[in-house]
Amino acid sequence: MESVRGGSDPPASAASRDLFDASTDAAVVLGADGVVLAWTRAAEELLGHPASELVGRSAAPLVAMRADPARVAAVVERCRSGMGWSGVITVRRRDGRRIDVDLRVSASFRIGGAECFLLSARERRQQWTVGRSVLDGFLTRSPVGMAVMDRDLRYVWLNDTLERLGGVPREQRLGRRLSEVLPGLQGEAIEGLMRKVLETGVPVTDYEYVGWSWADPHRPHAYSTSFFPLVDADEAVTGVCYMVLDVTERWNVRRLLSLVNEAGNSIGRTLDVTRTAQELADFAVPRFADFVIVDLLESVVSAPGPDAWPTAEGPASERPVMRRAGMSSVREGCPEAVARVGERVDFIPPPGDLNMLITGEPVLIPVLDPSDEMWAGEPPERLAAMREYGLHSLISVPMRARNTVLGLATFLRSLNPVSFQSDDILLARELVARAALCVDNARRYTREHTAAVTLQRSLLPHALTGGQALEVASHYLPADATGGVGGDWFDVIPLSGARVGLAVGDVVGHGITAAAAMGRLRTAVQTLADMELPPDELLAHLDDLVLRLSEEPAAADEGANRSATAFLGATCLYAVYDPVTGRCSMARAGHPPPVVVTPDGQVSFPEPPAGPPLGLGGIAFESGEVDLPPGSLLGLYTDGLIAGPDGDLEAGMSRLGQVLARPARDLGTHCRTAVQDLVPLSQRDDIALLLARTHALDAEHVVSWDVPADPAAVADVRARATRQVAAWGLTDLAMTTELIVSELVTNAIRHAAPPIRLRLIRDSRLTCEVADGSSTAPRLRHPRSTDEGGRGLFLVAQLAHRWGARYTPDGKIIWAEQDFPAAPPAPAAG
């Protein structure tokens, strides 16, 4: 180590790392006197000397530099301090050639008491330098467009790629600004970014924008641009370099994914076929096309059925009947359209092959030419519209879903000068596929909804009558298509003794299942009401029925219909109004209380004891009574009427009371108007409102007598009844009434217990009631010809329109009704 040059003192960590990274270096061990103690094979390869020639000899002849003892002494001292050293020296190979090597000297160490140093060296390779011609060729032929701008943002230099991308010759760019060369290419925004780079010296990378160029002026391109400051030796910014890359393909893919994702949120927001078709048209204009029409098959729009035209693969022979379901245009009012929404259309794009609807293959016509022979069979008005509004490009995509043909969507361009290309078919297909699935879902839902509405309306009463006791009116409002048909129901049931039963209920759930369950409950209520059960007992039996219906799936075989037959529960309110006493008894199972409006306009919500919803079981129901003066308005309703947009049921009940308190003559109009005022918009739940205006029977229409428990009293009671019937002008019923009274009173005296009472009621029918203190049920017998008795109730059943028995807290009442005789026909005009 007699002479060194360019030495340096690296950091300790770097020095240590370089010191031991000698796997490929030439390694030599020197003593303190410069004698070679060890010589590696790598050292032999580097300098050409074998170990036999150098081990034990001085290494000084290998150094091809002028001696510098002071520098060598400093290096030795540094290594003895444990620091190590590295630098560049020139050495002489065996063949006499001089080479520069990177030399590293380790900290000193001892071998057998002698001080030693480890030296490692590698040849210093000359760095590759790029010539001006090579650099110019690289910049000029780079696939990335490049340009250099001065501080005034004027072109100083640009490569061939940028010249080709912009379509502007180099001579027309140099000395001019970007906004002057390409004024529509977001020039101001891009120059603003370059000024920012000039001011801050901070690069701007990967700035994307969409623009045009003279190289392809009729189609938008996407570019990714980066801007870098140019600095001189004094670190002063002297200009800006920018690089441009055409990323149109990547941008188109990203745009396609974005549009498809956006379409998922914009198309199919309702379960309505025509609205979905219109959503497709509105979404595509102007994002994709200037004019869009959506034509659906007649069977899809007008009468959704299980299948549309046709479903099987194969040639189509008959031209399908379609209707315009939706259209949209960049021009207000869609003046390009030959047919309006709702009208029949028969448009199939050239070549007019109907099988395109079956195969689902789209049709692309990049350039529309009305004078072309392919349009020869089209109506003249369609060709005239093409010429007048400049429709120049078309894509038609069949709408298919679940192997079913639904219609045809057609996209056209006019104001947009860029024609449709084959790449645009992918986007059109995606948009139409999403819309087709939504249309098919809406079609299927509409079919089920229509079936459910039809079923529900068939199960609701078609005509309501309260006899002379009540004037009744009802209004039912089904839920909108999104909510589905519910299970709201109501009924008016004539009862014995001029009484009337009123029922309203709500089945949990929606759809055909809820409608069917509603029909079963309504039938059950009618049956239980015919048994003359009081309201609390009727609800108890109804609760048992709902429990059994709920348990049916668990007992049934496992299958697909399990969920369809499940019964989740219901609410119900049942009331019985007696026009003779003017009292109304009622009980409720989880249902809102009724509303009562007295003749003077006072509103109240009488609350009979609140029972649980039907289907819970184990909890008793209780009845309550309320007096209803003649002319009172009684309202029964479901919760959808009072829910309101805020969901506050108490506020909804208050609004209902205010609406019903308005004076009204026609009860039907009053009922319908009340629902419209409370629910002006469509809702997700069914609504039912049943109104009843009370009437009291006049005193002269009801007569009653106490009957002694003595068979001799039968004749007197029978005579009184006959005279009363005659006084009412019902002479034709005198004989049958006499027989019915005789049989019922005689049976009460013989088989029941006092007190016994006879009552005649003249309402819509003539009713004969016999009350007694016994709870023994009457039994209708069919006596044989040899029997001497047992014909009483059999005779009553033959004479009366209907008969029955009901139980009271004091016993029972057996009743029989007779229809009034038909009025004789009016004499013919003479």
Side-chain angles (χ1 to χ4, degrees):
M1 298 186 300
E2 295 182 1
S3 179
V4 295
R5 75 179 183 200
S8 62
D9 298 329
S13 60
S16 300
R17 183 174 61 251
D18 291 343
L19 179 63
F20 294 103
D21 186 17
S23 59
T24 61
D25 290 358
V28 179
V29 178
L30 295 183
D33 55 359
V35 175
V36 177
L37 300 178
W39 187 263
T40 64
R41 185 179 297 275
E44 179 181 349
E45 293 177 355
L46 178 64
L47 299 179
H49 292 282
S52 59
E53 293 181 358
L54 290 179
V55 174
R57 299 181 181 182
S58 174
L62 298 177
V63 179
M65 297 172 58
R66 184 171 57 87
D68 188 353
R71 182 62 173 167
V72 172
V75 170
V76 171
E77 186 63 27
R78 177 181 178 85
C79 293
R80 285 173 175 168
S81 67
M83 298 295 292
W85 178 91
S86 64
V88 180
I89 68 172
T90 303
V91 296
R92 185 180 292 108
R93 287 176 51 85
R94 188 182 186 193
D95 57 9
R97 184 168 59 89
R98 297 183 178 190
I99 61 173
D100 290 336
V101 296
D102 289 316
L103 179 67
R104 278 166 288 192
V105 184
S106 72
S108 65
F109 59 93
R110 292 187 176 274
I111 299 178
E115 185 179 26
C116 302
F117 300 88
L118 173 65
L119 284 69
S120 62
R122 67 180 63 174
E123 185 178 2
R124 188 177 182 88
R125 302 292 184 181
Q126 184 178 7
Q127 294 184 350
W128 180 74
T129 58
V130 181
R132 178 64 180 269
S133 61
V134 176
L135 184 60
D136 288 346
F138 166 73
L139 295 176
T140 301
R141 296 174 179 83
S142 170
V144 179
M146 300 180 185
V148 175
M149 319 290 284
D150 61 16
R151 291 192 61 86
D152 293 328
L153 303 183
R154 299 185 182 278
Y155 282 98
V156 176
W157 174 88
L158 68 152
N159 67 353
D160 294 347
T161 304
L162 184 63
E163 183 179 15
R164 185 171 58 255
L165 287 177
V168 179
R170 181 181 281 103
E171 295 77 14
Q172 297 182 19
R173 284 186 185 249
L174 296 177
R176 303 177 66 184
R177 296 169 59 172
L178 175 67
S179 57
E180 298 172 351
V181 176
L182 296 169
L185 193 65
Q186 299 189 16
E188 294 183 0
I190 295 175
E191 289 181 351
L193 290 176
M194 289 192 286
R195 289 192 188 94
K196 182 179 179 181
V197 172
L198 286 174
E199 294 171 0
T200 64
V202 178
V204 175
T205 59
D206 201 22
Y207 172 73
E208 288 192 6
Y209 59 94
V210 178
W212 66 279
S213 72
W214 289 110
D216 190 8
H218 298 299
R219 184 164 49 185
H221 284 255
Y223 302 99
S224 176
T225 308
S226 298
F227 306 91
F228 304 92
L230 297 175
V231 297
D232 57 15
D234 298 328
E235 298 297 324
V237 178
T238 60
V240 176
C241 173
Y242 78 82
M243 297 186 296
V244 181
L245 185 65
D246 191 325
V247 292
T248 303
E249 184 176 351
R250 182 179 71 188
W251 178 79
N252 284 335
V253 172
R254 195 163 56 205
R255 172 175 168 267
L256 171 63
L257 294 176
S258 176
L259 280 176
V260 171
N261 182 63
E262 188 179 352
N265 298 324
S266 302
I267 301 174
R269 292 175 293 183
T270 66
L271 287 172
D272 184 89
V273 170
T274 55
R275 289 183 63 180
T276 301
Q278 186 61 47
E279 286 172 350
L280 169 60
D282 291 338
F283 178 81
V285 175
R287 293 178 178 90
F288 182 63
D290 297 327
F291 178 45
V292 177
I293 55 176
V294 182
D295 300 331
L296 298 179
L297 296 179
E298 178 76 27
S299 57
V300 176
V301 177
S302 303
D307 294 318
W309 174 98
T311 56
E313 299 291 340
S317 57
E318 297 182 1
R319 198 170 185 86
V321 178
M322 294 191 290
R323 284 192 181 274
R324 181 67 43 86
M327 64 181 180
S328 182
S329 172
V330 292
R331 299 178 176 88
E332 185 177 358
C334 300
E336 309 97 323
V338 176
R340 315 311 296 179
V341 172
E343 296 180 356
R344 286 195 173 191
V345 293
D346 60 352
F347 175 70
I348 300 293
D353 186 4
L354 298 180
N355 287 314
M356 69 167 292
L357 296 176
I358 300 176
T359 61
E361 290 300 320
V363 171
L364 167 63
I365 304 179
V367 179
L368 291 181
D369 184 3
S371 61
D372 195 297
E373 293 182 357
M374 68 170 62
W375 297 98
E378 295 297 324
E381 58 269 20
R382 182 168 292 146
L383 302 180
M386 292 169 57
R387 294 188 180 94
E388 180 178 357
Y389 298 103
L391 302 177
H392 64 82
S393 190
L394 172 148
I395 293 179
S396 282
V397 183
M399 299 187 70
R400 291 173 51 85
R402 301 183 181 95
N403 200 32
T404 300
V405 179
L406 302 173
L408 183 69
T410 302
F411 307 86
L412 299 106
R413 283 181 178 173
S414 57
L415 298 182
N416 186 346
V418 180
S419 298
F420 286 120
Q421 304 297 323
S422 57
D423 293 343
D424 295 317
I425 294 179
L426 178 60
L427 177 56
R429 264 182 158 168
E430 286 293 331
L431 296 179
V432 173
R434 285 180 176 266
L437 184 61
C438 295
V439 167
D440 191 54
N441 289 339
R443 180 179 71 93
R444 291 168 179 264
Y445 178 83
T446 301
R447 186 176 68 223
E448 180 178 346
H449 186 265
T450 301
V453 170
T454 302
L455 174 62
Q456 187 181 42
R457 292 192 180 278
S458 67
L459 295 175
L460 289 173
H462 299 283
L464 300 176
T465 176
Q468 296 184 11
L470 294 174
E471 178 188 357
V472 293
S474 65
H475 188 72
Y476 170 76
L477 184 64
D480 60 15
T482 59
V485 174
D488 292 9
W489 58 279
F490 54 88
D491 208 349
V492 178
I493 307 169
L495 302 175
S496 63
R499 300 171 307 129
V500 179
L502 301 172
V504 65
D506 187 358
V507 175
V508 175
H510 293 85
I512 293 180
T513 302
M518 174 270 290
R520 300 174 77 172
L521 284 188
R522 177 171 175 252
T523 301
V525 169
Q526 290 180 333
T527 302
L528 295 173
D530 284 342
M531 296 171 63
E532 301 286 353
L533 295 178
D536 54 343
E537 293 185 24
L538 184 144
L539 291 183
H541 285 282
L542 200 62
D543 184 50
D544 292 338
L545 172 63
V546 174
L547 278 174
R548 290 196 300 272
L549 293 176
S550 301
E551 294 171 356
E552 281 184 358
D557 294 336
E558 298 288 340
N561 292 330
R562 161 171 279 219
S563 60
T565 59
F567 199 109
L568 301 179
T571 65
C572 182
L573 187 150
Y574 180 66
V576 176
Y577 173 68
D578 189 343
V580 178
T581 63
R583 298 185 66 81
C584 181
S585 61
M586 61 186 72
R588 59 189 178 123
H591 205 82
V595 56
V596 173
V597 182
T598 58
D600 58 358
Q602 297 296 318
V603 179
S604 63
F605 290 86
E607 295 195 13
L614 300 173
L616 296 182
I619 303 177
F621 298 92
E622 298 182 31
S623 294
E625 287 192 347
V626 59
D627 290 323
L628 297 179
S632 297
L633 187 64
L634 175 66
L636 279 63
Y637 52 91
T638 54
D639 57 1
L641 184 63
I642 59 173
D646 53 3
D648 190 341
L649 297 183
E650 292 187 1
M653 293 168 61
S654 177
R655 292 190 294 265
L656 173 62
Q658 295 173 4
V659 171
L660 294 183
R662 300 171 185 169
R665 293 185 179 180
D666 181 68
L667 193 61
T669 302
H670 192 40
C671 184
R672 183 173 58 256
T673 303
V675 173
Q676 293 173 350
D677 290 346
L678 293 172
V679 190
L681 302 176
S682 59
Q683 74 295 323
R684 296 178 60 85
D685 195 9
D686 287 17
I687 289 175
L689 175 61
L690 176 63
L691 295 182
R693 182 172 286 128
T694 61
H695 300 291
L697 289 181
D698 295 337
E700 61 269 17
H701 288 180
V702 181
V703 295
S704 61
W705 301 277
D706 292 327
V707 180
D710 183 0
V714 174
D716 178 60
V717 172
R718 184 172 56 203
R720 292 184 181 185
T722 303
R723 289 194 297 269
Q724 182 60 52
V725 170
W728 282 338
L730 303 175
T731 307
D732 293 344
L733 299 180
M735 180 178 296
T736 54
T737 302
E738 182 179 5
L739 292 174
I740 291 174
V741 168
S742 177
E743 293 297 334
L744 294 182
V745 171
T746 299
N747 282 344
I749 294 174
R750 289 181 177 178
H751 305 292
I756 300 173
R757 189 171 183 82
L758 170 65
R759 185 170 72 166
L760 295 181
I761 302 174
R762 181 188 176 185
D763 184 31
S764 56
R765 290 187 175 94
L766 177 61
T767 304
C768 174
E769 296 182 346
V770 176
D772 59 56
S774 171
S775 59
T776 304
R779 185 166 64 94
L780 177 63
R781 296 174 54 193
H782 294 272
R784 293 170 295 184
S785 58
T786 57
D787 291 342
E788 296 183 359
R791 293 180 174 83
L793 289 180
F794 181 78
L795 181 62
V796 170
Q798 297 299 314
L799 296 175
H801 170 72
R802 63 175 189 152
W803 74 280
R806 68 178 184 269
Y807 294 90
T808 67
D810 301 325
K812 69 175 182 295
I813 296 175
I814 301 178
W815 54 269
E817 292 180 352
Q818 299 179 78
D819 286 330
F820 293 148

